[in-house]
Amino acid sequence: MKDSRRDFIRKTALAGTCMLVSKTVWSAQSYKRIIGANDRVRVGVVGFSDRHKSAHMPCFMNHYKELNFDVVAVSDIWSIRRAEGVVAWKSKMQHDITGCRNNEELYDKKLVDAVFISTADFQHARHAIEAVKAGCDVYCEKPFAENMEDNREALKVIKASDRIVQIGSQRRSGTNYHAANDFIRSGKFGDIKMVELTWNVNQPGRWRRPELVAKLKEEDTDWKRFLGNRAYEAFDPRKYLEYRLFWPYSSGLPGQWMSHQIDTVHWFSGLKYPRSVVANGGIYMWKDGRKNWDTITAAFDYGPANDPTTGFQVSFQSRMDNGTENPAEIYYSNGGELNLNTNKVSPNGGLTERMASAMNMKPFLLPEMELASTEKVVVTANTGGDQLTSNHVRNWMECIRSRKQPNAPVEAGYSHSIANIMTTAAAHTGLKATFDEATQEVMVGGKVFK
């Protein structure tokens, strides 16, 4: 029994890295059997951001030699960050790095086969479209899109291509999350009846960049290119660098944090989006000129569109003060709970012990192994090369080689973006937001949310 359990854990871990295929375990040697596997994959950086420096870079360094990848170019419209990116990657790769003033320059020069995208939230989908049209595979940070126009176009373009696109929802490469998904889908947990999601921090400087704001001059960047398809407004270095605090450049808490947690709801339940969302909140603590709330509570109704008598509720609560920095994801059925903080399944709250026993809800860990302790969700601003992101970057690199779908394909990004946009719509209007399946539009008060 012990060996069987270990075998399950090993297979679960491999499944999280695009490596579990019938009777074959991929290794560095097995890549040689794939056409083009001996060719070095040239990677470009689109946006030399804090996220890229603190997470993508160390995670890439964990795997690039084994998988024969190389970073060769950095594209950033701000001259200072472009120069920093060139210096940083030259130090890592020990060869020259090409600095590009914009993405057209990067793609026109045919420099790269794949790119990391870690630009401003509202730019992700548009930059993914550019990359795929240029023939590149993509690792695209979340949130995938902040409006449905961008969301729909990116899905269409990517689905029509043969490119590998990994959305930066790194929970999908966590061994415990794969085990939880398998357990719920096995039917042993019973129907999901409630999901409680919380993400609270006490980080006064989170998303603030005062020192960088002071350095940014309009002549050193391309403000119109930064705005992209958003309405023109006068240059504002805060909105450029502290975009997470300002709509329409970011939805803030929903796009940054809820997108991670709501993605697991879609994954585990098989549902693509909520039936409705309501939200409330405000700027209760940080009176620093921001427009996006620092506190939010959102309630979601999930279930089949044609059967309102069946389904479950999801709550998301987040605040940026008095927080323990320990995001919670707890799933409840009528037989017990699955707690992704403790990785424990238990009959807590179940109707009866007999029912819990019948549903195989005796307490146990998901999974029981050393790896789980290293895959804890990291919530600090500088995540470093955390294990979940390292797994996720490797999964993307593996799938570029195998041409198999990655753990978080574009459909995952499309779905979490629907939930995010519905939450933004509810928050901005005070109305219940719904989703029109036929038009693929978020609706509030009988009107399309723009």
Side-chain angles (χ1 to χ4, degrees), residues 234-265:
F235 175 71
D236 187 335
R238 285 200 67 191
K239 291 176 180 175
Y240 188 107
L241 289 166
E242 299 178 348
Y243 58 84
R244 295 178 180 92
L245 305 176
F246 300 98
W247 176 260
Y249 311 111
S250 172
S251 57
L253 294 171
Q256 280 293 306
W257 294 342
M258 190 192 79
S259 62
H260 280 300
Q261 295 185 321
I262 210 71
D263 177 63
T264 66
V265 174

PDB file of all heavy atoms in Angstrom, residues 234-265:
ATOM      1  N   ALA A 234      -3.194  62.191 -20.679  1.00  0.00           N
ATOM      2  CA  ALA A 234      -1.864  62.781 -20.521  1.00  0.00           C
ATOM      3  C   ALA A 234      -0.935  61.838 -19.761  1.00  0.00           C
ATOM      4  O   ALA A 234      -1.373  61.042 -18.925  1.00  0.00           O
ATOM      5  CB  ALA A 234      -1.966  64.117 -19.790  1.00  0.00           C
ATOM      6  N   PHE A 235       0.342  61.964 -20.068  1.00  0.00           N
ATOM      7  CA  PHE A 235       1.367  61.125 -19.441  1.00  0.00           C
ATOM      8  C   PHE A 235       1.278  61.186 -17.925  1.00  0.00           C
ATOM      9  O   PHE A 235       1.173  62.256 -17.328  1.00  0.00           O
ATOM     10  CB  PHE A 235       2.747  61.590 -19.894  1.00  0.00           C
ATOM     11  CG  PHE A 235       3.883  60.888 -19.219  1.00  0.00           C
ATOM     12  CD1 PHE A 235       4.162  59.560 -19.494  1.00  0.00           C
ATOM     13  CD2 PHE A 235       4.677  61.562 -18.289  1.00  0.00           C
ATOM     14  CE1 PHE A 235       5.227  58.913 -18.870  1.00  0.00           C
ATOM     15  CE2 PHE A 235       5.742  60.916 -17.661  1.00  0.00           C
ATOM     16  CZ  PHE A 235       6.014  59.589 -17.954  1.00  0.00           C
ATOM     17  N   ASP A 236       1.315  60.018 -17.290  1.00  0.00           N
ATOM     18  CA  ASP A 236       1.256  59.907 -15.834  1.00  0.00           C
ATOM     19  C   ASP A 236       2.177  58.781 -15.406  1.00  0.00           C
ATOM     20  O   ASP A 236       1.861  57.606 -15.602  1.00  0.00           O
ATOM     21  CB  ASP A 236      -0.176  59.622 -15.376  1.00  0.00           C
ATOM     22  CG  ASP A 236      -0.327  59.671 -13.859  1.00  0.00           C
ATOM     23  OD1 ASP A 236       0.675  59.457 -13.152  1.00  0.00           O
ATOM     24  OD2 ASP A 236      -1.461  59.898 -13.379  1.00  0.00           O
ATOM     25  N   PRO A 237       3.337  59.105 -14.824  1.00  0.00           N
ATOM     26  CA  PRO A 237       4.290  58.055 -14.455  1.00  0.00           C
ATOM     27  C   PRO A 237       3.738  57.086 -13.415  1.00  0.00           C
ATOM     28  O   PRO A 237       4.148  55.924 -13.383  1.00  0.00           O
ATOM     29  CB  PRO A 237       5.493  58.829 -13.919  1.00  0.00           C
ATOM     30  CG  PRO A 237       4.960  60.170 -13.543  1.00  0.00           C
ATOM     31  CD  PRO A 237       3.854  60.449 -14.501  1.00  0.00           C
ATOM     32  N   ARG A 238       2.791  57.534 -12.572  1.00  0.00           N
ATOM     33  CA  ARG A 238       2.203  56.614 -11.595  1.00  0.00           C
ATOM     34  C   ARG A 238       1.389  55.539 -12.313  1.00  0.00           C
ATOM     35  O   ARG A 238       1.457  54.355 -11.951  1.00  0.00           O
ATOM     36  CB  ARG A 238       1.317  57.362 -10.603  1.00  0.00           C
ATOM     37  CG  ARG A 238       2.048  58.149  -9.556  1.00  0.00           C
ATOM     38  CD  ARG A 238       1.148  58.431  -8.359  1.00  0.00           C
ATOM     39  NE  ARG A 238       0.822  57.210  -7.631  1.00  0.00           N
ATOM     40  CZ  ARG A 238      -0.110  57.134  -6.682  1.00  0.00           C
ATOM     41  NH1 ARG A 238      -0.832  58.210  -6.377  1.00  0.00           N
ATOM     42  NH2 ARG A 238      -0.334  56.001  -6.047  1.00  0.00           N
ATOM     43  N   LYS A 239       0.612  55.934 -13.300  1.00  0.00           N
ATOM     44  CA  LYS A 239      -0.212  54.955 -14.010  1.00  0.00           C
ATOM     45  C   LYS A 239       0.655  54.017 -14.850  1.00  0.00           C
ATOM     46  O   LYS A 239       0.274  52.873 -15.089  1.00  0.00           O
ATOM     47  CB  LYS A 239      -1.255  55.670 -14.863  1.00  0.00           C
ATOM     48  CG  LYS A 239      -2.308  56.357 -14.005  1.00  0.00           C
ATOM     49  CD  LYS A 239      -3.298  57.161 -14.818  1.00  0.00           C
ATOM     50  CE  LYS A 239      -4.317  57.828 -13.888  1.00  0.00           C
ATOM     51  NZ  LYS A 239      -5.250  58.716 -14.615  1.00  0.00           N
ATOM     52  N   TYR A 240       1.791  54.479 -15.261  1.00  0.00           N
ATOM     53  CA  TYR A 240       2.734  53.649 -16.018  1.00  0.00           C
ATOM     54  C   TYR A 240       3.357  52.582 -15.121  1.00  0.00           C
ATOM     55  O   TYR A 240       3.436  51.414 -15.500  1.00  0.00           O
ATOM     56  CB  TYR A 240       3.814  54.546 -16.613  1.00  0.00           C
ATOM     57  CG  TYR A 240       4.775  53.884 -17.571  1.00  0.00           C
ATOM     58  CD1 TYR A 240       4.696  54.140 -18.931  1.00  0.00           C
ATOM     59  CD2 TYR A 240       5.789  53.044 -17.115  1.00  0.00           C
ATOM     60  CE1 TYR A 240       5.596  53.562 -19.820  1.00  0.00           C
ATOM     61  CE2 TYR A 240       6.690  52.459 -17.992  1.00  0.00           C
ATOM     62  CZ  TYR A 240       6.584  52.718 -19.344  1.00  0.00           C
ATOM     63  OH  TYR A 240       7.471  52.138 -20.216  1.00  0.00           O
ATOM     64  N   LEU A 241       3.793  52.984 -13.934  1.00  0.00           N
ATOM     65  CA  LEU A 241       4.545  52.080 -13.069  1.00  0.00           C
ATOM     66  C   LEU A 241       3.716  51.480 -11.931  1.00  0.00           C
ATOM     67  O   LEU A 241       4.022  50.392 -11.448  1.00  0.00           O
ATOM     68  CB  LEU A 241       5.750  52.806 -12.476  1.00  0.00           C
ATOM     69  CG  LEU A 241       6.862  53.122 -13.468  1.00  0.00           C
ATOM     70  CD1 LEU A 241       7.834  54.129 -12.890  1.00  0.00           C
ATOM     71  CD2 LEU A 241       7.587  51.839 -13.878  1.00  0.00           C
ATOM     72  N   GLU A 242       2.665  52.196 -11.513  1.00  0.00           N
ATOM     73  CA  GLU A 242       1.796  51.711 -10.441  1.00  0.00           C
ATOM     74  C   GLU A 242       0.414  51.375 -11.004  1.00  0.00           C
ATOM     75  O   GLU A 242      -0.613  51.602 -10.369  1.00  0.00           O
ATOM     76  CB  GLU A 242       1.701  52.760  -9.329  1.00  0.00           C
ATOM     77  CG  GLU A 242       3.048  53.073  -8.705  1.00  0.00           C
ATOM     78  CD  GLU A 242       2.982  54.161  -7.624  1.00  0.00           C
ATOM     79  OE1 GLU A 242       1.935  54.832  -7.508  1.00  0.00           O
ATOM     80  OE2 GLU A 242       3.976  54.323  -6.893  1.00  0.00           O
ATOM     81  N   TYR A 243       0.431  50.806 -12.208  1.00  0.00           N
ATOM     82  CA  TYR A 243      -0.817  50.556 -12.954  1.00  0.00           C
ATOM     83  C   TYR A 243      -1.810  49.694 -12.190  1.00  0.00           C
ATOM     84  O   TYR A 243      -3.024  49.798 -12.390  1.00  0.00           O
ATOM     85  CB  TYR A 243      -0.498  49.919 -14.310  1.00  0.00           C
ATOM     86  CG  TYR A 243       0.273  48.627 -14.213  1.00  0.00           C
ATOM     87  CD1 TYR A 243      -0.369  47.424 -13.998  1.00  0.00           C
ATOM     88  CD2 TYR A 243       1.669  48.620 -14.319  1.00  0.00           C
ATOM     89  CE1 TYR A 243       0.348  46.244 -13.886  1.00  0.00           C
ATOM     90  CE2 TYR A 243       2.383  47.458 -14.215  1.00  0.00           C
ATOM     91  CZ  TYR A 243       1.724  46.267 -13.996  1.00  0.00           C
ATOM     92  OH  TYR A 243       2.443  45.094 -13.876  1.00  0.00           O
ATOM     93  N   ARG A 244      -1.336  48.849 -11.275  1.00  0.00           N
ATOM     94  CA  ARG A 244      -2.244  47.969 -10.537  1.00  0.00           C
ATOM     95  C   ARG A 244      -3.225  48.753  -9.654  1.00  0.00           C
ATOM     96  O   ARG A 244      -4.222  48.199  -9.200  1.00  0.00           O
ATOM     97  CB  ARG A 244      -1.447  46.987  -9.672  1.00  0.00           C
ATOM     98  CG  ARG A 244      -0.601  46.008 -10.469  1.00  0.00           C
ATOM     99  CD  ARG A 244       0.203  45.107  -9.554  1.00  0.00           C
ATOM    100  NE  ARG A 244       1.024  44.159 -10.288  1.00  0.00           N
ATOM    101  CZ  ARG A 244       2.294  44.386 -10.650  1.00  0.00           C
ATOM    102  NH1 ARG A 244       2.856  45.561 -10.357  1.00  0.00           N
ATOM    103  NH2 ARG A 244       2.985  43.471 -11.307  1.00  0.00           N
ATOM    104  N   LEU A 245      -2.929  50.018  -9.436  1.00  0.00           N
ATOM    105  CA  LEU A 245      -3.777  50.855  -8.598  1.00  0.00           C
ATOM    106  C   LEU A 245      -4.828  51.628  -9.400  1.00  0.00           C
ATOM    107  O   LEU A 245      -5.675  52.305  -8.809  1.00  0.00           O
ATOM    108  CB  LEU A 245      -2.922  51.857  -7.820  1.00  0.00           C
ATOM    109  CG  LEU A 245      -1.795  51.275  -6.959  1.00  0.00           C
ATOM    110  CD1 LEU A 245      -0.989  52.403  -6.323  1.00  0.00           C
ATOM    111  CD2 LEU A 245      -2.347  50.350  -5.900  1.00  0.00           C
ATOM    112  N   PHE A 246      -4.774  51.501 -10.745  1.00  0.00           N
ATOM    113  CA  PHE A 246      -5.605  52.376 -11.568  1.00  0.00           C
ATOM    114  C   PHE A 246      -6.342  51.610 -12.669  1.00  0.00           C
ATOM    115  O   PHE A 246      -5.724  50.949 -13.505  1.00  0.00           O
ATOM    116  CB  PHE A 246      -4.733  53.458 -12.223  1.00  0.00           C
ATOM    117  CG  PHE A 246      -4.011  54.328 -11.242  1.00  0.00           C
ATOM    118  CD1 PHE A 246      -2.678  54.072 -10.918  1.00  0.00           C
ATOM    119  CD2 PHE A 246      -4.657  55.394 -10.631  1.00  0.00           C
ATOM    120  CE1 PHE A 246      -2.004  54.874 -10.019  1.00  0.00           C
ATOM    121  CE2 PHE A 246      -3.984  56.194  -9.717  1.00  0.00           C
ATOM    122  CZ  PHE A 246      -2.654  55.941  -9.399  1.00  0.00           C
ATOM    123  N   TRP A 247      -7.651  51.702 -12.680  1.00  0.00           N
ATOM    124  CA  TRP A 247      -8.461  51.246 -13.799  1.00  0.00           C
ATOM    125  C   TRP A 247      -8.426  52.351 -14.879  1.00  0.00           C
ATOM    126  O   TRP A 247      -8.408  53.521 -14.525  1.00  0.00           O
ATOM    127  CB  TRP A 247      -9.902  51.013 -13.315  1.00  0.00           C
ATOM    128  CG  TRP A 247     -10.837  50.631 -14.423  1.00  0.00           C
ATOM    129  CD1 TRP A 247     -11.726  51.435 -15.088  1.00  0.00           C
ATOM    130  CD2 TRP A 247     -10.963  49.331 -15.006  1.00  0.00           C
ATOM    131  NE1 TRP A 247     -12.391  50.723 -16.051  1.00  0.00           N
ATOM    132  CE2 TRP A 247     -11.935  49.422 -16.027  1.00  0.00           C
ATOM    133  CE3 TRP A 247     -10.337  48.101 -14.780  1.00  0.00           C
ATOM    134  CZ2 TRP A 247     -12.302  48.324 -16.816  1.00  0.00           C
ATOM    135  CZ3 TRP A 247     -10.703  47.024 -15.553  1.00  0.00           C
ATOM    136  CH2 TRP A 247     -11.672  47.133 -16.553  1.00  0.00           C
ATOM    137  N   PRO A 248      -8.350  52.017 -16.198  1.00  0.00           N
ATOM    138  CA  PRO A 248      -8.541  50.707 -16.824  1.00  0.00           C
ATOM    139  C   PRO A 248      -7.259  49.949 -17.121  1.00  0.00           C
ATOM    140  O   PRO A 248      -7.242  49.070 -17.981  1.00  0.00           O
ATOM    141  CB  PRO A 248      -9.241  51.099 -18.133  1.00  0.00           C
ATOM    142  CG  PRO A 248      -8.572  52.382 -18.517  1.00  0.00           C
ATOM    143  CD  PRO A 248      -8.306  53.105 -17.217  1.00  0.00           C
ATOM    144  N   TYR A 249      -6.183  50.272 -16.418  1.00  0.00           N
ATOM    145  CA  TYR A 249      -4.912  49.586 -16.670  1.00  0.00           C
ATOM    146  C   TYR A 249      -4.792  48.302 -15.860  1.00  0.00           C
ATOM    147  O   TYR A 249      -3.955  47.451 -16.161  1.00  0.00           O
ATOM    148  CB  TYR A 249      -3.757  50.543 -16.376  1.00  0.00           C
ATOM    149  CG  TYR A 249      -3.974  51.872 -17.056  1.00  0.00           C
ATOM    150  CD1 TYR A 249      -4.240  53.019 -16.326  1.00  0.00           C
ATOM    151  CD2 TYR A 249      -3.980  51.956 -18.447  1.00  0.00           C
ATOM    152  CE1 TYR A 249      -4.486  54.232 -16.954  1.00  0.00           C
ATOM    153  CE2 TYR A 249      -4.226  53.152 -19.088  1.00  0.00           C
ATOM    154  CZ  TYR A 249      -4.489  54.290 -18.336  1.00  0.00           C
ATOM    155  OH  TYR A 249      -4.755  55.479 -18.973  1.00  0.00           O
ATOM    156  N   SER A 250      -5.626  48.175 -14.836  1.00  0.00           N
ATOM    157  CA  SER A 250      -5.675  46.962 -14.017  1.00  0.00           C
ATOM    158  C   SER A 250      -6.968  46.989 -13.216  1.00  0.00           C
ATOM    159  O   SER A 250      -7.486  48.069 -12.892  1.00  0.00           O
ATOM    160  CB  SER A 250      -4.477  46.901 -13.066  1.00  0.00           C
ATOM    161  OG  SER A 250      -4.600  45.828 -12.142  1.00  0.00           O
ATOM    162  N   SER A 251      -7.466  45.817 -12.886  1.00  0.00           N
ATOM    163  CA  SER A 251      -8.619  45.730 -11.983  1.00  0.00           C
ATOM    164  C   SER A 251      -8.170  45.647 -10.534  1.00  0.00           C
ATOM    165  O   SER A 251      -9.002  45.639  -9.624  1.00  0.00           O
ATOM    166  CB  SER A 251      -9.476  44.511 -12.339  1.00  0.00           C
ATOM    167  OG  SER A 251      -8.704  43.322 -12.288  1.00  0.00           O
ATOM    168  N   GLY A 252      -6.862  45.568 -10.299  1.00  0.00           N
ATOM    169  CA  GLY A 252      -6.353  45.510  -8.932  1.00  0.00           C
ATOM    170  C   GLY A 252      -6.544  44.148  -8.302  1.00  0.00           C
ATOM    171  O   GLY A 252      -6.081  43.125  -8.833  1.00  0.00           O
ATOM    172  N   LEU A 253      -7.217  44.086  -7.183  1.00  0.00           N
ATOM    173  CA  LEU A 253      -7.350  42.849  -6.413  1.00  0.00           C
ATOM    174  C   LEU A 253      -7.938  41.687  -7.217  1.00  0.00           C
ATOM    175  O   LEU A 253      -7.430  40.565  -7.123  1.00  0.00           O
ATOM    176  CB  LEU A 253      -8.176  43.107  -5.149  1.00  0.00           C
ATOM    177  CG  LEU A 253      -7.526  44.039  -4.112  1.00  0.00           C
ATOM    178  CD1 LEU A 253      -8.525  44.393  -3.015  1.00  0.00           C
ATOM    179  CD2 LEU A 253      -6.280  43.405  -3.507  1.00  0.00           C
ATOM    180  N   PRO A 254      -8.999  41.874  -8.007  1.00  0.00           N
ATOM    181  CA  PRO A 254      -9.510  40.741  -8.779  1.00  0.00           C
ATOM    182  C   PRO A 254      -8.491  40.188  -9.775  1.00  0.00           C
ATOM    183  O   PRO A 254      -8.242  38.983  -9.830  1.00  0.00           O
ATOM    184  CB  PRO A 254     -10.743  41.315  -9.493  1.00  0.00           C
ATOM    185  CG  PRO A 254     -11.183  42.439  -8.636  1.00  0.00           C
ATOM    186  CD  PRO A 254      -9.907  43.041  -8.098  1.00  0.00           C
ATOM    187  N   GLY A 255      -7.894  41.077 -10.566  1.00  0.00           N
ATOM    188  CA  GLY A 255      -6.964  40.610 -11.589  1.00  0.00           C
ATOM    189  C   GLY A 255      -5.672  40.066 -11.033  1.00  0.00           C
ATOM    190  O   GLY A 255      -5.134  39.075 -11.531  1.00  0.00           O
ATOM    191  N   GLN A 256      -5.155  40.710  -9.981  1.00  0.00           N
ATOM    192  CA  GLN A 256      -3.878  40.290  -9.444  1.00  0.00           C
ATOM    193  C   GLN A 256      -3.967  39.022  -8.607  1.00  0.00           C
ATOM    194  O   GLN A 256      -3.117  38.134  -8.724  1.00  0.00           O
ATOM    195  CB  GLN A 256      -3.296  41.426  -8.593  1.00  0.00           C
ATOM    196  CG  GLN A 256      -2.630  42.500  -9.415  1.00  0.00           C
ATOM    197  CD  GLN A 256      -1.375  42.012 -10.103  1.00  0.00           C
ATOM    198  OE1 GLN A 256      -0.466  41.477  -9.477  1.00  0.00           O
ATOM    199  NE2 GLN A 256      -1.314  42.176 -11.408  1.00  0.00           N
ATOM    200  N   TRP A 257      -4.958  38.925  -7.734  1.00  0.00           N
ATOM    201  CA  TRP A 257      -4.999  37.823  -6.779  1.00  0.00           C
ATOM    202  C   TRP A 257      -6.164  36.859  -6.988  1.00  0.00           C
ATOM    203  O   TRP A 257      -5.997  35.655  -6.956  1.00  0.00           O
ATOM    204  CB  TRP A 257      -5.036  38.393  -5.345  1.00  0.00           C
ATOM    205  CG  TRP A 257      -3.763  39.097  -5.009  1.00  0.00           C
ATOM    206  CD1 TRP A 257      -2.557  38.975  -5.652  1.00  0.00           C
ATOM    207  CD2 TRP A 257      -3.549  40.044  -3.957  1.00  0.00           C
ATOM    208  NE1 TRP A 257      -1.610  39.783  -5.061  1.00  0.00           N
ATOM    209  CE2 TRP A 257      -2.188  40.452  -4.021  1.00  0.00           C
ATOM    210  CE3 TRP A 257      -4.365  40.586  -2.969  1.00  0.00           C
ATOM    211  CZ2 TRP A 257      -1.626  41.363  -3.138  1.00  0.00           C
ATOM    212  CZ3 TRP A 257      -3.813  41.505  -2.085  1.00  0.00           C
ATOM    213  CH2 TRP A 257      -2.462  41.887  -2.166  1.00  0.00           C
ATOM    214  N   MET A 258      -7.364  37.418  -7.213  1.00  0.00           N
ATOM    215  CA  MET A 258      -8.508  36.530  -7.387  1.00  0.00           C
ATOM    216  C   MET A 258      -8.341  35.632  -8.612  1.00  0.00           C
ATOM    217  O   MET A 258      -8.811  34.493  -8.632  1.00  0.00           O
ATOM    218  CB  MET A 258      -9.794  37.353  -7.505  1.00  0.00           C
ATOM    219  CG  MET A 258     -11.070  36.532  -7.442  1.00  0.00           C
ATOM    220  SD  MET A 258     -12.503  37.514  -7.937  1.00  0.00           S
ATOM    221  CE  MET A 258     -12.305  37.439  -9.731  1.00  0.00           C
ATOM    222  N   SER A 259      -7.668  36.144  -9.635  1.00  0.00           N
ATOM    223  CA  SER A 259      -7.510  35.361 -10.864  1.00  0.00           C
ATOM    224  C   SER A 259      -6.824  34.029 -10.595  1.00  0.00           C
ATOM    225  O   SER A 259      -7.129  33.023 -11.241  1.00  0.00           O
ATOM    226  CB  SER A 259      -6.720  36.156 -11.909  1.00  0.00           C
ATOM    227  OG  SER A 259      -5.411  36.454 -11.456  1.00  0.00           O
ATOM    228  N   HIS A 260      -5.889  33.995  -9.645  1.00  0.00           N
ATOM    229  CA  HIS A 260      -5.235  32.738  -9.278  1.00  0.00           C
ATOM    230  C   HIS A 260      -6.242  31.770  -8.654  1.00  0.00           C
ATOM    231  O   HIS A 260      -6.323  30.596  -9.028  1.00  0.00           O
ATOM    232  CB  HIS A 260      -4.117  32.995  -8.259  1.00  0.00           C
ATOM    233  CG  HIS A 260      -2.849  33.497  -8.846  1.00  0.00           C
ATOM    234  ND1 HIS A 260      -2.128  32.791  -9.784  1.00  0.00           N
ATOM    235  CD2 HIS A 260      -2.139  34.634  -8.601  1.00  0.00           C
ATOM    236  CE1 HIS A 260      -1.039  33.469 -10.101  1.00  0.00           C
ATOM    237  NE2 HIS A 260      -1.026  34.592  -9.395  1.00  0.00           N
ATOM    238  N   GLN A 261      -6.972  32.262  -7.686  1.00  0.00           N
ATOM    239  CA  GLN A 261      -7.833  31.377  -6.896  1.00  0.00           C
ATOM    240  C   GLN A 261      -9.094  30.966  -7.648  1.00  0.00           C
ATOM    241  O   GLN A 261      -9.535  29.823  -7.531  1.00  0.00           O
ATOM    242  CB  GLN A 261      -8.193  32.066  -5.576  1.00  0.00           C
ATOM    243  CG  GLN A 261      -6.986  32.290  -4.672  1.00  0.00           C
ATOM    244  CD  GLN A 261      -7.374  32.860  -3.314  1.00  0.00           C
ATOM    245  OE1 GLN A 261      -8.261  33.704  -3.215  1.00  0.00           O
ATOM    246  NE2 GLN A 261      -6.719  32.406  -2.271  1.00  0.00           N
ATOM    247  N   ILE A 262      -9.677  31.877  -8.421  1.00  0.00           N
ATOM    248  CA  ILE A 262     -10.890  31.525  -9.153  1.00  0.00           C
ATOM    249  C   ILE A 262     -10.561  30.533 -10.260  1.00  0.00           C
ATOM    250  O   ILE A 262     -11.414  29.735 -10.678  1.00  0.00           O
ATOM    251  CB  ILE A 262     -11.587  32.787  -9.719  1.00  0.00           C
ATOM    252  CG1 ILE A 262     -13.112  32.567  -9.801  1.00  0.00           C
ATOM    253  CG2 ILE A 262     -11.019  33.195 -11.059  1.00  0.00           C
ATOM    254  CD1 ILE A 262     -13.823  32.520  -8.478  1.00  0.00           C
ATOM    255  N   ASP A 263      -9.325  30.553 -10.720  1.00  0.00           N
ATOM    256  CA  ASP A 263      -8.902  29.590 -11.746  1.00  0.00           C
ATOM    257  C   ASP A 263      -8.996  28.161 -11.233  1.00  0.00           C
ATOM    258  O   ASP A 263      -9.357  27.249 -11.981  1.00  0.00           O
ATOM    259  CB  ASP A 263      -7.470  29.892 -12.186  1.00  0.00           C
ATOM    260  CG  ASP A 263      -6.952  28.882 -13.202  1.00  0.00           C
ATOM    261  OD1 ASP A 263      -7.527  28.809 -14.303  1.00  0.00           O
ATOM    262  OD2 ASP A 263      -5.976  28.169 -12.891  1.00  0.00           O
ATOM    263  N   THR A 264      -8.676  27.940  -9.940  1.00  0.00           N
ATOM    264  CA  THR A 264      -8.789  26.581  -9.409  1.00  0.00           C
ATOM    265  C   THR A 264     -10.250  26.149  -9.342  1.00  0.00           C
ATOM    266  O   THR A 264     -10.558  24.965  -9.511  1.00  0.00           O
ATOM    267  CB  THR A 264      -8.143  26.458  -8.014  1.00  0.00           C
ATOM    268  OG1 THR A 264      -8.864  27.240  -7.067  1.00  0.00           O
ATOM    269  CG2 THR A 264      -6.691  26.898  -8.041  1.00  0.00           C
ATOM    270  N   VAL A 265     -11.163  27.094  -9.109  1.00  0.00           N
ATOM    271  CA  VAL A 265     -12.594  26.767  -9.097  1.00  0.00           C
ATOM    272  C   VAL A 265     -13.011  26.248 -10.473  1.00  0.00           C
ATOM    273  O   VAL A 265     -13.708  25.230 -10.591  1.00  0.00           O
ATOM    274  CB  VAL A 265     -13.436  27.991  -8.694  1.00  0.00           C
ATOM    275  CG1 VAL A 265     -14.923  27.691  -8.819  1.00  0.00           C
ATOM    276  CG2 VAL A 265     -13.090  28.432  -7.272  1.00  0.00           C
TER     277      VAL A 265
END
